[in-house]
Amino acid sequence: MLKKNLLRQSPDVLKAMLKHERREVRIAAAGAIGARKLRFGSELIGLLADSEDDMRQAARRALGLISGGADYGPSANASFTGRDAAIARWREWWGRQ
């Protein structure tokens, strides 16, 4: 229900929801952004450094949708080094867009 509600929100509202205090809202907002292919690559890439793995994976899935299927990681439970490498790859991709 949360994701369905967020799918109807404006891009500005969805962008703000990426900073919501509740993790579930941030995850649903990332999903809605990905589903709508909104161009919030920088914001989603920033979430790849989140302390919660499920948030990182939601951002990864959204970036995959926006990119048309690219997947630069990070894998679930990636190390800090792995996360940093994935963030660098996503930033490189975003810079070419």
Side-chain angles (χ1 to χ4, degrees):
M1 181 136 166
L2 176 60
K3 186 175 178 182
K4 186 177 178 181
N5 180 40
L6 287 177
L7 281 169
R8 295 186 304 234
Q9 299 301 315
S10 72
D12 288 338
V13 168
L14 289 173
K15 186 176 179 180
M17 290 295 107
L18 290 175
K19 296 180 181 182
H20 197 276
E21 64 187 35
R22 289 184 41 221
R23 185 183 77 223
E24 308 84 44
V25 174
R26 294 192 313 272
I27 289 170
I33 287 168
R36 291 176 55 185
K37 298 184 179 174
L38 298 175
R39 310 242 342 126
F40 293 143
S42 294
E43 293 80 4
L44 292 168
I45 291 167
L47 290 173
L48 296 174
D50 195 273
S51 63
E52 298 287 336
D53 187 57
D54 53 353
M55 184 68 250
R56 291 191 302 271
Q57 293 307 305
R60 176 187 181 189
R61 286 189 299 274
L63 286 163
L65 290 169
I66 292 168
S67 69
D71 185 4
Y72 301 115
S75 62
N77 300 311
S79 66
F80 287 112
T81 303
R83 286 185 226 162
D84 288 344
I87 290 167
R89 288 188 300 267
W90 278 113
R91 284 188 178 141
E92 181 181 333
W93 167 81
W94 185 242
R96 294 190 309 261
Q97 302 309 302

